[in-house]
């Protein structure tokens, strides 16, 4: 039986990492790298997936959006699961499920099995990505050691997208299945190391909170986040702005000790005057109340509404508004959203608990909208460019990956300097500058005469401008989102922010795929494989204009949101993140 090593004792703030701390950091950062590359690994492989499975881009896009849907749609639920069950056991279980889903993804012969495995991997990432940062915060000593650990973790996450593009391009040269299978052995290795290195102190705290308690019902005090984690010296201090850029640390609402306590057998029938147990609820009622804290109905309705919306949107080009195959999913999405509102309104512990302080937080709302526009437009652009380069121009997957790297590499190379940029220029200014760069790049793609592809004169400047947009504004958006959150709202606010970013990617990619299919000429072989191809892809390249227009509109909306924040921000606050 594998023995779990005790967590390292917190030492002075200037002490160097020991072997165990370095091992723990490499496990957490390595898994963060895997989580980050899971989106980009599908970008280059999409044309090969469509050809191998015999499906159109409106179906193969699920390989890309499925992961983002599982991550964004279940992020808040994942945070709740981690808080109630404990970081270590959930983290390790998610690694095993992730590895199994990777193998099944590579073996999938049906697009819907591929979607199911991608959703599963997204949910696993929702469990591990934010939990890794929480483990760092509660394990590494406060000061320089913790800052160094967070920097390494952030760097691995920022470099994951670029690594996914290049690795996918290389592996897809052989088969797209290798691009989906390669994480399995890596994650299993991380699991084996994590068994020995990930501390289990938060499990003990969670079990202590769930143990029978002599407290009266309703008399328990609220548990803080530190109560559910391994207590370390300095762990109670407020996280820095960089720490808050990764969502979901802990749960949105801390459970009360009385709610988590289990009554003794027969306590519900104890006569009055027998002490503190006379007010305890029946055992079955306590179990139901504890299960309600997961808010499984809320999580399922949110995910179901998202999947139904994407399915309806992608079915419209082929079936139209009069066909139940398109109208049915859209109607189901609307009904599920109404059901979600009702479920969350009556849930004892709702996932989407948006109180007045969050609804009135203009910095959070503007940042979420701006980041959603930036991320959605970027992934939509990559979807179009991948289709143009591989399907129309016949580029190899590796060549396509190398061509897209100028947009992905700059954010990774400058990730550690983003905090200094915000401190010097202020978040509002950087957000506007970044959105303006991205919008200018999108406009370049809308110039006339899109064929033949002009990489040095059109595509490369676009990718460099979009990459500059991420360098300038993405970290600033994260910091601005957290700048006015009260400590009690930070967990919920961060989760809502990251959920908006991921859901925008899901919806945008689905809309882009639908527009490509709706305006594709009849001879485009990848979009209508049953028809005979005609010579010349110039018309197919011109048919990408509606999809690129949608991308540009999103970029313009992001710029407007940024300008609104710049206008409304007092000059004295421009260097404070808001």
């Amino acid at each position: 039986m594998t023995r779990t090593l005790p967590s390292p004792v917190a030492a002075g703030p200037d002490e160097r990492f020991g072997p165990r701390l370095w091992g723990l950091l490499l496990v957490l950062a390595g898994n963060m790298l895997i989580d980050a590359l899971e989106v980009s690994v599908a970008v280059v492989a999409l044309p090969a997936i469509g050809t191998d499975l015999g499906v159109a881009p409106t179906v193969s896009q699920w390989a890309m959006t499925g992961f983002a849907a599982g991550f964004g749609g279940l992020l808040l639920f994942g945070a709740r699961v981690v808080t109630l069950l404990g970081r270590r056991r959930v983290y390790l279980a998610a690694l095993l499920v992730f590895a199994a889903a990777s193998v099944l993804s590579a073996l999938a012969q049906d697009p819907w099995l591929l979607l199911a495995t991608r959703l599963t991997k997204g949910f696993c990432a929702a469990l591990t990505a934010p939990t890794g940062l929480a483990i760092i915060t509660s394990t590494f000593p406060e000061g320089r050691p913790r800052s160094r650990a967070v920097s390494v973790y952030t760097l691995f996450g920022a470099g994951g997208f670029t690594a996914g593009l290049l690795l996918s391009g290389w592996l897809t040269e052989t088969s797209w299945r290798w691009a989906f299978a390669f994480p399995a052995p890596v994650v299993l290795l991380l699991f084996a190391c994590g068994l020995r290195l990930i501390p289990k102190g938060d499990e003990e705290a969670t079990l202590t909170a769930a143990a029978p308690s002599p407290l009266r019902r309703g008399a328990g005090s609220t548990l803080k986040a530190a109560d559910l984690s391994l207590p370390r010296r300095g762990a109670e201090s407020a996280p820095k702005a960089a720490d808050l850029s990764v969502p979901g640390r802990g749960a949105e609402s801390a459970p009360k000790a009385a709610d988590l306590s289990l009554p003794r057998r027969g306590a519900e029938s104890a006569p009055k005057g027998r002490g503190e147990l006379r007010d305890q609820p029946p055992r079955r009622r306590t179990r139901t109340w504890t299960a309600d804290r997961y808010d499984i109905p809320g999580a399922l309705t949110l995910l179901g509404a998202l999947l139904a919306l994407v399915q309806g949107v992608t079915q419209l080009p082929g079936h139209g508004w009069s066909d139940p195959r398109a109208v049915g999913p859209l109607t189901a999405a609307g009904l599920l959203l109404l059901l979600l509102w009702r479920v969350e309104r009556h849930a004892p512990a709702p996932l989407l608990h948006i109180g007045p302080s969050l609804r009135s937080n203009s910095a959070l709302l503007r940042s979420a909208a701006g980041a959603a526009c930036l991320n959605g437009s970027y992934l939509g652009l990559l979807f179009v460019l991948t289709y143009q380069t591989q399907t129309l121009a016949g580029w190899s997957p590796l060549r396509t990956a190398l061509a897209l790297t100028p947009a992905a590499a700059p954010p990774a190379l400058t990730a550690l300097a983003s905090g200094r940029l915000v401190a010097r220029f202020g978040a509002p200014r950087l957000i506007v500058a970044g959105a303006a760069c991205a919008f200018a790049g999108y406009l370049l793609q809308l110039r006339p005469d899109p064929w033949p592809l002009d990489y040095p004169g059109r595509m490369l400047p676009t990718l460099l401008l979009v990459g500059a947009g991420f360098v300038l504004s993405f970290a600033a958006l994260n910091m601005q989102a957290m700048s006015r959150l009260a400590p009690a709202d930070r967990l919920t606010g961060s989760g809502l922010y990251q959920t908006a970013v991921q859901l925008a990617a899901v919806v945008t990619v689905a809309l882009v795929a639908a527009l490509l299919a709706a305006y594709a000429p009849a001879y485009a072989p990848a979009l209508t494989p049953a028809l005979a191809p005609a010579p010349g892809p110039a018309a197919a390249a011109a048919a990408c204009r509606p999809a690129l227009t949608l991308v540009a509109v999103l970029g313009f909306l992001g710029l407007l949101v940024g300008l609104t924040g710049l206008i409304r921000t007092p000059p004295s606050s421009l260097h404070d993140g808001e």
Side-chain angles (χ1 to χ4, degrees):
M1 180 176 181
T2 303
R3 181 176 61 89
T4 302
L5 297 178
S7 60
V9 177
D14 295 327
E15 184 177 330
R16 295 180 179 274
F17 293 167
R20 292 178 180 176
L21 277 177
W22 270 118
L24 174 62
L25 180 58
L26 290 178
V27 169
L28 300 176
N31 187 65
M32 183 61 182
L33 177 70
I34 296 293
D35 289 341
L37 61 81
E38 274 299 319
V39 175
S40 60
V41 78
V43 173
V44 178
L46 284 178
I49 293 173
T51 301
D52 188 24
L53 300 182
V55 295
T58 51
V59 178
S60 64
Q61 58 86 27
W62 281 112
M64 184 174 176
T65 58
F67 179 84
F71 185 85
L74 297 173
L75 181 61
L76 296 174
F77 176 68
R80 182 71 54 83
V81 171
V82 170
T83 299
L84 294 178
L85 295 182
R87 295 173 187 164
R88 184 177 185 272
R89 64 166 60 91
V90 172
Y91 194 95
L92 293 174
L95 290 180
L96 285 180
V97 176
F98 191 99
S102 297
V103 175
L104 290 177
S105 294
L107 298 176
Q109 300 294 332
D110 184 272
W112 304 115
L113 176 60
L114 182 60
L115 166 62
T117 56
R118 295 291 289 171
L119 279 172
T120 302
K121 295 176 76 172
F123 178 46
C124 292
L127 294 171
T128 58
T131 306
L133 185 65
I135 294 174
I136 289 175
T137 303
S138 62
T139 304
F140 285 77
E142 186 181 10
R144 290 179 59 188
R146 185 183 299 175
S147 298
R148 191 184 313 133
V150 172
S151 297
V152 172
Y153 191 76
T154 303
L155 182 62
F156 273 62
F161 196 92
T162 305
L165 279 177
L166 297 177
L167 193 58
S168 176
W170 175 53
L171 293 175
T172 307
E173 292 281 322
T174 303
S175 173
W176 65 269
R177 299 182 184 277
W178 287 111
F180 285 76
F182 84 89
V186 178
V187 171
L188 288 177
L189 177 62
L190 296 176
F191 171 80
C193 297
L195 279 175
R196 298 180 58 84
L197 296 172
I198 296 177
K200 60 178 180 179
D202 68 308
E203 257 73 3
E204 296 170 354
T206 303
L207 292 175
T208 301
S213 170
L215 295 175
R216 295 181 189 268
R217 183 178 57 181
S221 59
T222 303
L223 295 176
K224 297 181 181 179
D227 298 328
L228 296 174
S229 61
L230 176 66
R232 304 297 305 166
R233 186 172 72 181
E236 67 276 10
S237 59
K240 298 180 181 180
D243 301 340
L244 294 169
S245 61
V246 179
R249 190 167 14 162
E252 295 71 30
S253 57
K256 296 182 179 180
D259 296 328
L260 287 173
S261 62
L262 297 176
R264 297 173 183 173
R265 180 177 300 177
E268 62 273 15
S269 59
K272 294 183 179 180
R274 294 291 299 275
E276 300 293 338
L277 292 175
R278 69 171 183 265
D279 290 333
Q280 288 282 357
R283 185 181 184 92
R284 184 175 61 183
R285 182 179 174 184
T286 301
R287 285 181 173 177
T288 303
W289 179 253
T290 303
D292 285 344
R293 290 192 171 277
Y294 290 95
D295 193 14
I296 295 176
L300 292 179
T301 50
L302 175 59
L303 181 61
L306 180 63
L307 297 179
L309 176 62
V310 173
Q311 177 66 8
V313 167
T314 55
Q315 290 296 308
L316 281 175
H319 303 289
W321 289 98
S322 60
D323 195 307
R325 285 173 290 184
V327 179
L330 293 176
T331 304
L335 293 176
L336 285 172
L337 288 176
L338 291 176
L339 180 60
L340 174 66
W341 174 79
R342 182 176 179 83
V343 167
E344 294 301 281
R345 186 179 179 184
H346 296 90
L351 293 176
L352 300 175
H353 180 62
I354 307 176
S357 59
L358 290 177
R359 291 195 298 267
S360 61
N361 192 319
S362 59
L364 174 63
L365 297 178
R366 287 198 309 271
S367 300
C373 291
L374 181 64
N375 194 47
S377 60
Y378 174 53
L379 292 180
L381 175 70
L382 293 186
F383 190 95
V384 177
L385 294 182
T386 301
Y387 164 69
Q388 289 181 337
T389 53
Q390 292 193 59
T391 303
L392 302 183
W395 291 11
S396 68
L398 181 58
R399 184 181 178 185
T400 299
L402 292 172
L404 298 178
T405 300
L413 296 176
T414 60
L416 299 182
S418 58
R420 293 192 294 270
L421 282 175
V422 175
R424 180 174 181 179
F425 298 104
R429 292 193 182 103
L430 290 177
I431 291 170
V432 171
C437 288
F439 180 55
Y442 301 146
L443 290 180
L444 281 177
Q445 289 298 305
L446 290 175
R447 291 186 306 171
D449 303 323
W451 192 262
L453 292 182
D454 183 4
Y455 184 79
R458 182 196 296 261
M459 190 181 300
L460 179 60
T462 293
L463 295 171
L464 290 175
L465 285 170
V466 174
F470 268 85
V471 169
L472 294 172
S473 63
F474 201 70
L477 286 164
N478 277 271
M479 295 180 185
Q480 179 180 264
M482 301 296 110
S483 63
R484 291 187 179 180
L485 287 177
D489 292 332
R490 285 174 181 167
L491 299 176
T492 305
S494 178
L496 292 173
Y497 172 83
Q498 294 293 341
T499 297
V501 172
Q502 296 298 326
L503 297 191
V506 174
V507 176
T508 302
V509 171
L511 289 171
V512 166
L515 288 172
L516 286 178
Y519 288 91
Y523 60 79
L527 297 180
T528 52
L531 300 178
C544 296
R545 190 174 185 85
L548 292 171
T549 301
L550 171 64
V551 170
V553 168
L554 280 179
F556 179 66
L557 290 177
L559 178 59
L560 286 182
V561 172
L563 288 172
T564 302
L566 184 62
I567 293 172
R568 294 185 177 181
T569 303
S572 59
S573 302
L574 288 177
H575 291 277
D576 298 330
E578 164 52 11

